[in-house]
Amino acid sequence: MPETVPGSLSVSNDVIADIAGYAAMSCYGVVGMSEQLQGAESVRLLPGQRLRKGVLVSSTEDGLLVDLHVVLESGVNMKSVCENLSSAVAFTLQEIAQIDPARLKVIIHVDALKNRA
């Protein structure tokens, strides 16, 4: 049986970005995280070890704001994938980092569509 330990938990924004990135990658329809290239109007698909570059975490007076920049698989229902993605990221952050979902807002930016082949 789990035991409650008194104290507080502090999680850095980089760790939250890593957790959110890995949660996003486990969702159906997500090909990968993306990064906006400076000075260009194109995006780059990030390798698995650099997922946090596609996630921006910031604090607001209402709570925590997580911006995800993703590349989706071509032909998927974007609305369903984004709803699932938002839910999965919120659930994972609640489970691992103990972040209150009422104080968490997940914003998804679909930067590109790509065929998996």
Side-chain angles (χ1 to χ4, degrees):
M1 189 157 157
E3 190 177 318
T4 302
V5 177
S8 63
L9 175 66
S10 177
V11 182
S12 76
N13 285 355
D14 285 344
V15 172
I16 292 171
D18 283 340
I19 294 169
Y22 286 110
M25 289 300 297
S26 70
C27 292
Y28 170 79
V30 176
V31 174
M33 304 299 291
S34 63
E35 175 184 36
Q36 186 79 33
L37 298 175
Q38 273 192 326
E41 292 195 20
S42 60
V43 295
R44 175 175 58 163
L45 191 60
L46 294 169
Q49 65 271 23
R50 298 186 63 210
L51 297 178
R52 86 168 53 152
K53 285 189 163 274
V55 182
L56 176 65
V57 179
S58 55
S59 297
T60 66
E61 52 188 52
D62 295 331
L64 194 65
L65 182 64
V66 178
D67 284 288
L68 298 172
H69 291 268
V70 296
V71 176
L72 297 184
E73 185 175 351
S74 183
V76 297
N77 183 323
M78 290 171 58
K79 180 181 179 196
S80 296
V81 170
C82 289
E83 287 172 353
N84 181 45
L85 179 55
S86 177
S87 175
V89 168
F91 175 79
T92 304
L93 287 173
Q94 177 186 7
E95 288 296 306
I96 295 175
Q98 301 296 305
I99 296 172
D100 181 9
R103 296 190 39 82
L104 175 66
K105 183 172 183 181
V106 178
I107 298 174
I108 300 164
H109 305 271
V110 179
D111 291 335
L113 296 175
K114 183 176 190 238
N115 291 328
R116 282 216 187 239

